[in-house]
Amino acid sequence: MTTDVKSRTRQAQATLTIPGMGSDHCAGIVRTSLERLDGVQDIQTSIAAHRARVSFDAERLSAADLKAAVEKAGYEVDDGEGADSPREVRLTVPGMGSDHCAGIVADSVRRLPGIEKLDTNIGNHRVRVSFDAGKTDAQAIRAAIERAGYEVDALDESQAPDHDSDAASEDRYLARAWKRLWIAAIPTTLIMVLMGPHMFWQPIPGYLAIVAVLAFPVVFLFGGWATHVSAWRSLTNRTANMDVLISMGSLPPYLIGLLGFIYPMTSFIEMAATIMTFHLIGRYLEARAKGRASQAIKRLITMGAKTATVLRDGAEVETPVAELQPGDIMLVRPGAKVPTDGEIVDGNSHLDESIATGESVPVEKGPGDAVIGATINKEGVLKVRATRVGADTFLSQVIKLVEEAQGSKVPIQEFADRLTGYFVPAVLVIALATFVTWLAFDDIFQPILHWGAGFLPWVNPDISPLMGATLAMIAVLVIACPCALGLATPTALMVGSGLGAERGVLIRSGEAIQTLKDIKVVVLDKTGTITRGKPALTDAVALEGFDEDAVLRAAAAVEAGSEHPLAQAIVAGARERRLEVPEVTKFKSLPARGVQGELDGETVRVGSRRLLIEAGISLGDLEERLVALETEGKTAMLVAIGERAAGLVAVADTIKEDSKAAIATMHDLGIHVVMVTGDNERTARHVARQVGLDEVMAGVLPEGKVDAIRELQDKHGQHVAMVGDGINDAPALKQANVGIAIGAGADVAIEAADVTLVTGELTRVVEAIRLSKATFRKIVENLFWAWAYNLAAIPVAAVGLLHPMIGVIAMTASSLSVIGNSLLLKRAKLEVRK
């Protein structure tokens, strides 16, 4: 059920899923029932999707009223959950720009009855709340957030987030911030232009009245009004936010400055306008910079195709991607994007899959191959059958995983968050204490002021106690920056998770980032992780009187009649060597022995020793070579042409090209690399020698891998990562401190894994580890800088060494520096040299 609510119009839209609405007659009954409600403005029904989309006035109706009306008409409304399950709502809160803001929003919502779970994500400005619909509703949650001082731009009760709505909401928020900035900046600039000549050249007649008029819209109307409203709501809700500090730092100077009309005194009005303007500049620049931090996910959202050419009844029909259904046949022309995940039914081409894998080299695809939505068809025309649509597609799942990571918390952050919750009240107490101390003990500040006047032009040691107290109090209010503290972790997670997504490395949570950086042991499954996971031809050996090509040609010709994977590997190997694979006659499969057939008038036998011995054919010199290949873990098959042994062919699960380089790089990082496999000891040891493994645990059944992980955890501590295919290895992935699913391809929704690697390259594991180390390092740097700034700046302001105008500039700079430091993460070197 989706509800988009604009803050002024209060117009909303809801989508109801009605399984029983299967005909136009049913749809008519549903429409009639809904139209009877006062406040319904428009109804659209789709019997194909069993959905009704309703536009209504949120002042007079709620989504629950719409559901009740449909149920009164005799139709059930499917919530997608059990009747006793909690309802879920997502709200877009554009002004929630830091973890400090998120904490205020969360505290306000949790005061409502029936709140069961609450998650905030400043990356996309979303709040997700699970609640008991019998005790509260979405509108009550919206009202609670507004009471905390934050506008709610959109409210969403659907299962699939509307990313287009998110983007539009962010654009609207930026546009409003830009408008407020300019409305404030123009009068403030005029005030600054007038202030210089008035103070240093010649007094301007009526100066106080002029600046009071110019500053009024800045402080009270278009510029500062939203800030004051937010501050008031926040205070009345007992959840003080950043706007409280700015309001209390700008309103008193303006009001005190008006006393100049009665008593001769220094004007503070310029200060009020400047503080508000720089605050608005900071808000706008923060929003823009944070937008850059989340660029990667925005690119993912916009990468998908908007429309698809679908073949229906022999005709080409242009269809919105949102309306595609599984089974639709799509026509993808050269240069076009694949509209959604599917399978090629006709045509051959190369596809650019860099969106999924980070690799720019196009991949060859043909009938039967899976394709990923949003990848680009480079040359041939393809017919693709849609297999996944909507929220089930690769792109949607990647966006979901990245959003989960951006909205997650890092364990190191929890203590900082607890302190941040008390930050604004503490600053208010410090500001009040500063004011009182200056009035009561102004003598203790005089030596500091005389010292500071020597190198700070704004410090005046001759200032009166009241003036000094006022300036110091305002400076404390405006220089304190909870935003820098709140941005420290999420901006680094935004950049880090986005950087990983671009390279096919999807880290699910902040906790996984913190744990992965300390990994001391990496456990690798053999098949599909170190090796390719499918057999390939490795050797073709010919005895005297035969050549390798002739032996391989004969073996492939006979094996072409078999469906066995080893047989297909021999055929594929022959074709890769550009050998002809002729047809044989009298093909026969001999259980436990091999296969035989007739080629060019001679019988060709391919199989085990038993096959040749029973045919009375001597192995000759092949026995020794056969044993040697088997010792290397390869499967060797003897080849006889006519009544003579001709040679042998061998197949094996081959090592991936990057496995050795990846394991060597792990060693450079001080990581102990272990292989756990169900293969026999001899085969496992051979693979270990090839790639340089530190330890091998062979003969381990799938159910025994959990025990193997536990054994390694007991030996090396809780610093063990498991790399597997995410399906057979799911229990082991859960047991490990970090589970890494490798080679997920289009199926990235692997719940057992903390990290999902889209491609099967083992070097991506190293990239994930390097990314976690770099991201965590930025988080620590950001937290250190934010706390150091506040702990240093507030005392300096309290003793009178910082002018409030300088303070508000420093406050803005502190937030931007945290975001800027996070953006430097984009320079991280993740690649592994192969």
Side-chain angles (χ1 to χ4, degrees), residues 85-268:
S85 298
R87 290 278 297 280
E88 182 173 287
V89 62
R90 284 180 292 270
L91 305 101
T92 302
V93 186
M96 188 181 71
S98 72
D99 278 352
H100 175 69
C101 301
I104 291 172
V105 168
D107 288 343
S108 183
V109 173
R110 286 194 178 106
R111 293 174 185 170
L112 295 172
I115 301 300
E116 301 187 7
K117 185 180 178 183
L118 187 147
D119 295 305
T120 57
N121 184 342
I122 74 164
N124 57 12
H125 307 287
R126 277 198 164 172
V127 181
R128 186 171 62 187
V129 186
S130 295
F131 60 96
D132 184 344
K135 296 180 181 179
T136 191
D137 61 21
Q139 294 304 325
I141 294 170
R142 169 192 158 87
I145 293 174
E146 289 182 336
R147 284 197 302 273
Y150 297 88
E151 292 182 5
V152 176
D153 190 82
L155 182 149
D156 178 357
E157 293 181 81
S158 68
Q159 295 300 309
D162 183 352
H163 295 292
D164 290 334
S165 173
D166 288 347
S169 173
E170 188 169 333
D171 289 343
R172 286 194 298 271
Y173 179 72
L174 269 176
R176 286 197 299 268
W178 179 248
K179 183 179 179 181
R180 288 170 184 158
L181 169 58
W182 274 108
I183 289 173
I186 292 172
T188 302
T189 302
L190 292 175
I191 290 172
M192 294 296 105
V193 170
L194 293 173
M195 187 171 67
H198 177 74
M199 292 178 64
F200 303 109
W201 183 44
Q202 184 175 344
I204 298 173
Y207 172 78
L208 184 60
I210 293 170
V211 296
V213 170
L214 287 173
F216 188 79
V218 177
V219 178
F220 291 97
L221 298 181
F222 310 104
W225 179 251
T227 300
H228 301 316
V229 169
S230 171
W232 175 252
R233 287 173 173 173
S234 176
L235 283 173
T236 56
N237 198 50
R238 306 188 311 279
T239 50
N241 64 10
M242 177 73 184
D243 288 332
V244 172
L245 301 180
I246 298 301
S247 281
M248 295 185 71
S250 59
L251 287 176
Y254 188 93
L255 298 175
I256 293 170
L258 295 179
L259 294 176
F261 288 109
I262 303 172
Y263 305 104
M265 61 179 293
T266 302
S267 171
F268 287 106

Side-chain angles (χ1 to χ4, degrees), residues 7 148 269 420 595:
S7 56
I269 294 175
T420 304
V595 291

Side-chain angles (χ1 to χ4, degrees), residues 476-500:
V476 168
L477 290 170
V478 300
I479 201 168
C481 191
C483 289
L485 296 167
L487 290 167
T489 298
T491 52
L493 286 177
M494 275 184 234
V495 178
S497 58
L499 184 63

Side-chain angles (χ1 to χ4, degrees), residues 411-426:
I412 192 179
Q413 180 191 357
E414 292 176 2
F415 177 69
D417 281 353
R418 285 198 296 272
L419 291 180
T420 304
Y422 299 105
F423 185 85
V424 174

Side-chain angles (χ1 to χ4, degrees), residues 58 91 162 346 368 404 439 487 598 625 655 745 765 768:
L91 305 101
D162 183 352
D346 185 46
E404 283 181 4
L439 290 179
L487 290 167
E598 200 165 290
R625 190 60 190 272
I655 305 291
V765 176

